Amino acid sequence: MTRRKIEIKRIDKKTARQVTFSKRNKGLFKKAMELSTLCDAEIALIVFSATGKRFEYSSLSVQQVIGRYNLHSDQNLNRTDQQSVELQKVKGEELDGLNTEELQELEKMVHLSLHRDVKKKDEMFLNEITDHKQKVGCHYA
Amino acid sequence: MTRRKIEIKRIDKKTARQVTFSKRNKGLFKKAMELSTLCDAEIALIVFSATGKRFEYSSLSVQQVIGRYNLHSDQNLNRTDQQSVELQKVKGEELDGLNTEELQELEKMVHLSLHRDVKKKDEMFLNEITDHKQKVGCHYA
DNA sequence: AAGCCTATGTATAAGGT
DNA sequence: TACCTTATACATAGGCT
C-alpha cells in the first residue's frame, strides 16, 4: 500500500511517531532554510522531539542581530554601544550564574517584555491609522 | 505557463519575493504545527520578513515548561532566594534598555541555556543509574 | 496588493529490506 | 533500527484578475 491521507492528531504508535518525526522534522528545516534564502527572511527554529532531542536552525547570529540593531538606530545612536555592552554582559555574566528556575523566570520576563513591546508598537500603529482617519475625515463603518 | 523548478537563491524581484514569502511562510507554519501535533514535539518558530514583520509560533507555554521543570527539581532549593535577587536586577535594570530584537535574541539564548541545564541534569541522573548498577552488580545487556 | 487557478514539483505514508 | 521505494497528497510558481 502507498501513501494515504492522514488526520492531523497525535500518532499513537511510538515507532510510527518517531519515523514521521524524523521525516517531517527534516522537511521543516529544509523549508525554513529555503524561505530564509529565497525571501531574505530571518528565521529561528527550535524543535524538541518527544524524546527530548533538540534541533535548531537560525538564519541569524547574535552578532548579526546586534549589527542589524546598530544599523537601524538613528535615534539613540550614542546609547547603542552601551546597550550592546549591556546585552553582552547579560549574556556572558548573568546567564551562566543562573539556575534552571531562574532561567525560566527570565524567559518568562523576556516573553512579557517582548509582548509589551510588540503591543506598544501595535497600539502606535493603530493610533496612526485612527489619526489619519480623523484628519482625512473618513467614515468607514 | 505553469510551475517550474526554481533555484534556491534570493529572489531579486521584490513583488515576487513578497508573494513567495507569504505563500511559503504560511506553509512553514502549517508544517510546524502539524509536526508538533502529530509527533508530540515542542516547537518554537520565529520569522522576520524582509520588511521586518514578525511571525511567531510556539507549541509550548511558559507555564508548561515551568511545570515540567518543577517535576524534576529537588536540589538547589536553598540557593533560590539569593539568586532571585540577582535575577530581579537583571530584570529591572537590563531588560528595559533592550529593544525588540535584542529581547528576542536574549529569549533564544535563555532557551538554549535552559535546555543545556536540563540536559546536564539528565546526564547526572543517568550517571546515578549507572553508578547504582555498578554498586549492586547488575548486568543488564 | 491580495486572491484564484492549475500544472508541476516536492514531501511523505506505507511497505519493504 | 535505519535506509529504500513508490504512489499519492500537498505545496507552490507562474499567470491571470
Side-chain angles (χ1 to χ4, degrees):
Chain A
M1 195 180 296
T2 180
R3 177 171 184 177
R4 287 180 212 148
K5 177 163 185 166
I6 60 157
E7 192 188 350
I8 303 300
K9 68 185 186 75
R10 188 190 133 99
I11 297 171
D12 288 323
K13 216 170 146 253
K14 189 181 171 186
T15 58
R17 193 165 66 240
Q18 285 178 339
V19 169
T20 296
F21 175 81
S22 60
K23 286 181 181 179
R24 282 179 169 260
N25 189 50
K26 187 181 157 200
L28 183 64
F29 276 84
K30 187 182 175 197
K31 292 267 183 201
M33 286 182 261
E34 288 182 351
L35 180 59
S36 162
T37 302
L38 287 168
C39 304
D40 227 9
E42 290 182 347
I43 301 184
L45 173 61
I46 305 174
V47 176
F48 293 94
S49 73
T51 59
K53 200 167 171 186
R54 177 161 61 86
F55 302 85
E56 217 194 308
Y57 165 71
S58 178
S59 63
L60 43 78
S61 69
V62 177
Q63 304 303 334
Q64 286 172 319
V65 172
I66 293 178
R68 196 173 77 157
Y69 170 68
N70 288 338
L71 281 179
H72 279 289
S73 64
D74 1 22
Q75 64 260 72
N76 300 346
L77 258 188
N78 42 357
R79 289 178 58 211
T80 302
D81 284 341
Q82 194 200 330
Q83 290 191 350
S84 293
V85 171
E86 280 180 35
L87 185 59
Q88 289 182 350
K89 176 166 158 286
V90 171
K91 176 190 173 193
E93 293 179 19
E94 309 275 0
L95 291 190
D96 282 349
L98 302 178
N99 67 6
T100 304
E101 274 163 57
E102 291 178 327
L103 283 170
Q104 280 161 339
E105 257 312 299
L106 181 57
E107 181 182 36
K108 203 163 61 182
M109 293 186 302
V110 173
H111 256 297
L112 296 180
S113 299
L114 257 176
H115 188 67
R116 223 184 306 128
D117 200 17
V118 169
K119 211 171 144 197
K120 210 190 303 167
K121 281 184 184 166
D122 285 349
E123 279 165 14
M124 282 167 56
F125 182 57
L126 219 63
N127 286 339
E128 274 180 29
I129 294 172
T130 310
D131 288 351
H132 179 69
K133 277 165 60 177
Q134 288 173 348
K135 275 178 197 156
V136 299
C138 289
H139 297 284
Y140 321 109
Chain B
M1 194 180 294
T2 179
R3 175 171 186 178
R4 286 181 212 150
K5 177 162 185 167
I6 60 155
E7 194 187 350
I8 303 300
K9 67 184 185 79
R10 188 191 134 101
I11 298 171
D12 289 323
K13 216 168 147 253
K14 188 182 172 184
T15 57
R17 192 165 67 238
Q18 285 179 338
V19 169
T20 296
F21 176 81
S22 61
K23 285 181 181 178
R24 280 179 171 259
N25 189 49
K26 188 180 156 201
L28 183 64
F29 276 85
K30 188 183 175 198
K31 292 270 184 198
M33 285 183 262
E34 288 182 348
L35 179 60
S36 163
T37 303
L38 287 169
C39 304
D40 225 12
E42 293 184 347
I43 301 185
L45 174 61
I46 305 173
V47 176
F48 293 94
S49 72
T51 60
K53 198 167 172 187
R54 180 162 63 89
F55 302 84
E56 223 192 305
Y57 165 71
S58 178
S59 62
L60 44 79
S61 73
V62 178
Q63 302 306 332
Q64 286 172 322
V65 173
I66 291 179
R68 196 171 72 159
Y69 170 67
N70 284 341
L71 284 178
H72 287 287
S73 71
D74 5 39
Q75 63 256 81
N76 297 345
L77 269 183
N78 44 357
R79 290 178 57 211
T80 303
D81 284 342
Q82 192 204 329
Q83 292 195 348
S84 289
V85 172
E86 282 177 34
L87 188 58
Q88 287 183 354
K89 177 169 156 285
V90 172
K91 174 191 175 189
E93 294 178 17
E94 311 274 0
L95 290 189
D96 283 349
L98 304 178
N99 69 4
T100 305
E101 280 149 36
E102 290 177 326
L103 283 171
Q104 281 162 338
E105 201 35 54
L106 181 58
E107 180 183 36
K108 211 164 55 181
M109 294 188 297
V110 173
H111 255 296
L112 298 184
S113 299
L114 253 178
H115 188 66
R116 226 183 303 129
D117 201 16
V118 169
K119 206 171 148 198
K120 210 188 305 169
K121 284 186 181 167
D122 285 348
E123 279 165 16
M124 283 166 57
F125 183 57
L126 220 61
N127 287 338
E128 275 177 27
I129 294 174
T130 309
D131 289 350
H132 179 67
K133 275 164 61 179
Q134 289 173 345
K135 276 177 195 157
V136 297
C138 287
H139 297 283
Y140 320 110

